Amino acid sequence: MFSRWLLIITLLVPVSACAQTSKDVDINAILASAHSLYKMDKTGANADYIPALAEVDSELFGIALVTTDGKVYSYGDVEQRFSIQSISKVFTLALALEQQGADTVAEKVGVNASGMPFNSIIAIELNQARSINPLVNAGAMATMSLLDGNETTKWQRVASWYNEFANAKLPVLDAVYQSETETNDRNLAIAQLLKAHQRFYGDVAMNLDLYTRQCSIGVTAKDLAIMTAPLANNGKHPITNKQLMSEDNVEHLLAVMSTAGLYETSGDWAYKVGLPAKSGVGGGIIAVAPGQFSIAVFSPRLDSAGNSVRAQKAIDYIAEKLGANVF
Ligand code: GLN
């Protein structure tokens, strides 16, 4: 009797443990083929204006995707930690929208694409209204300055906000933070210039430091895909089921990502791939297929605009295979 049950259990367990729908199988296969298609692509180079970024292994390549029903798919180096860099701008903008309101962000920071490099100074000077996009350095630092709190409470709020999205406690990568702090003169100049135009809303040194810290937060590709999942799901986290943002603010955020997420090549990206996205010079890119999935890809070599070459190609391929273009 016992051995008959044992036989039935032995037969059943592998079947249920491996049960996959055909969609599961497709997504795994699509991620794997994107990885094998582009893993030999050596175009571009690591960022080196922040010295610590030049030391990251250029061959790393990880792809993670989270569906709006909370399934996580991944392939390659998805447990490797790297600095979030400019992808952080999305989450701090999300916090500012929730905390200060969409009108205040539009009025005090600005939401129009600059069409210029992420560290442009000329973009500030050419724009009479001093409207600066929250997804480039100037606007991101101004967005940080707009948040409530002193140095300690503001950082606690930012860190816990990121952790809510990641459903994990994210570390700051100290070597990256030190390296950027030592080479931060251009960002200091940008913040100071904004202050001169009354477009900065607090102490320059403190907010620059908080911005540098947020850029040094360490994430894996899997963390990033999980962090981005609420943006594909009307603000509700598909894994924790928490409503982190209002639906209206998700719409605002995705609009800015669509027009400015890849800096001066955002238009090319929209034309080609058609997904709201954001890149960082650490080599990550996130993208959102509203109502369907979030995706994050990490590979350190960048093109001349500062966007990961392999990540752009992998997302383009996967979005095409999954029919995700929003346009
Ligand atoms: N921390 C970087 C900087 O301020 C972020 C830039 C980026 O990822 N594009 O220059």
Side-chain angles (χ1 to χ4, degrees):
M1 184 65 185
F2 176 75
S3 65
R4 208 176 79 202
W5 277 112
L6 194 68
L7 179 69
I8 293 171
I9 290 166
T10 322
L11 287 173
L12 281 178
V13 163
V15 174
S16 55
C18 301
Q20 283 182 322
T21 63
S22 61
K23 208 173 165 208
D24 286 324
V25 174
D26 285 347
I27 294 178
N28 284 321
I30 290 167
L31 301 196
S33 45
H35 195 276
S36 81
L37 271 172
Y38 305 117
K39 70 173 185 233
M40 297 314 285
D41 190 326
K42 302 202 190 271
T43 320
N46 285 36
D48 59 4
Y49 74 98
I50 300 170
L53 299 184
E55 286 159 25
V56 178
D57 178 359
S58 310
E59 294 309 331
L60 292 165
F61 189 17
I63 306 175
L65 184 150
V66 178
T67 57
T68 46
D69 55 1
K71 292 203 186 80
V72 181
Y73 300 83
S74 62
Y75 197 90
D77 300 313
V78 291
E79 305 291 349
Q80 177 67 40
R81 221 165 263 289
F82 58 99
S83 57
I84 188 169
Q85 295 299 340
S86 278
I87 298 170
S88 66
K89 291 164 178 163
V90 167
F91 299 96
T92 299
L93 171 57
L95 178 56
L97 287 166
E98 289 293 308
Q99 192 186 81
Q100 307 291 326
D103 291 344
T104 303
V105 170
E107 186 193 307
K108 293 199 153 187
V109 181
V111 290
N112 247 331
S114 68
M116 301 243 186
F118 63 82
N119 59 1
S120 176
I121 288 174
I122 231 169
I124 303 168
E125 289 299 278
L126 287 178
N127 186 317
Q128 283 305 307
R130 314 292 172 208
S131 176
I132 37 163
N133 190 287
L135 299 187
V136 296
N137 293 10
M141 290 187 281
T143 303
M144 177 60 88
S145 77
L146 201 58
L147 296 179
D148 296 333
N150 61 31
E151 185 171 6
T152 310
T153 55
K154 202 189 272 206
W155 178 251
Q156 280 166 351
R157 186 72 195 96
V158 168
S160 70
W161 178 252
Y162 281 45
N163 291 345
E164 288 265 16
F165 279 80
N167 192 29
K169 195 170 176 331
L170 301 172
V172 169
L173 302 181
D174 205 49
V176 177
Y177 170 66
Q178 294 302 339
S179 182
E180 183 159 359
T181 299
E182 283 159 18
T183 53
N184 228 356
D185 298 313
R186 192 176 175 96
N187 281 336
L188 175 61
I190 291 171
Q192 205 71 64
L193 181 61
L194 288 175
K195 183 97 178 172
H197 288 304
Q198 286 87 49
R199 299 287 288 178
F200 204 84
Y201 307 99
D203 183 73
V204 166
M206 176 188 103
N207 285 290
L208 172 63
D209 180 59
L210 292 173
Y211 163 81
T212 309
R213 244 189 272 174
Q214 87 171 27
C215 289
S216 309
I217 286 176
V219 287
T220 66
K222 215 188 257 182
D223 287 332
L224 270 184
I226 292 171
M227 286 176 84
T228 309
L231 308 184
N233 197 38
N234 294 322
K236 186 174 180 177
H237 205 305
I239 293 175
T240 65
N241 283 321
K242 285 188 197 155
Q243 187 75 41
L244 295 175
M245 294 178 67
S246 72
E247 291 188 22
D248 281 354
N249 282 338
V250 172
E251 289 170 3
H252 292 307
L253 193 57
L254 295 182
V256 184
M257 289 170 74
S258 301
T259 53
L262 271 76
Y263 316 116
E264 67 269 39
T265 56
S266 301
D268 298 316
W269 174 262
Y271 187 85
K272 207 163 158 223
V273 184
L275 291 183
K278 182 75 200 86
S279 65
V281 291
I285 300 186
I286 58 170
V288 179
Q292 296 184 62
F293 62 85
S294 61
I295 182 166
V297 181
F298 163 58
S299 201
R301 290 196 192 91
L302 311 178
D303 65 13
S304 57
N307 303 316
S308 165
V309 175
R310 286 182 188 164
Q312 290 179 79
K313 290 184 178 170
I315 295 171
D316 185 7
Y317 175 85
I318 293 162
E320 173 81 37
K321 289 285 173 206
L322 296 176
N325 189 320
V326 297
F327 302 114

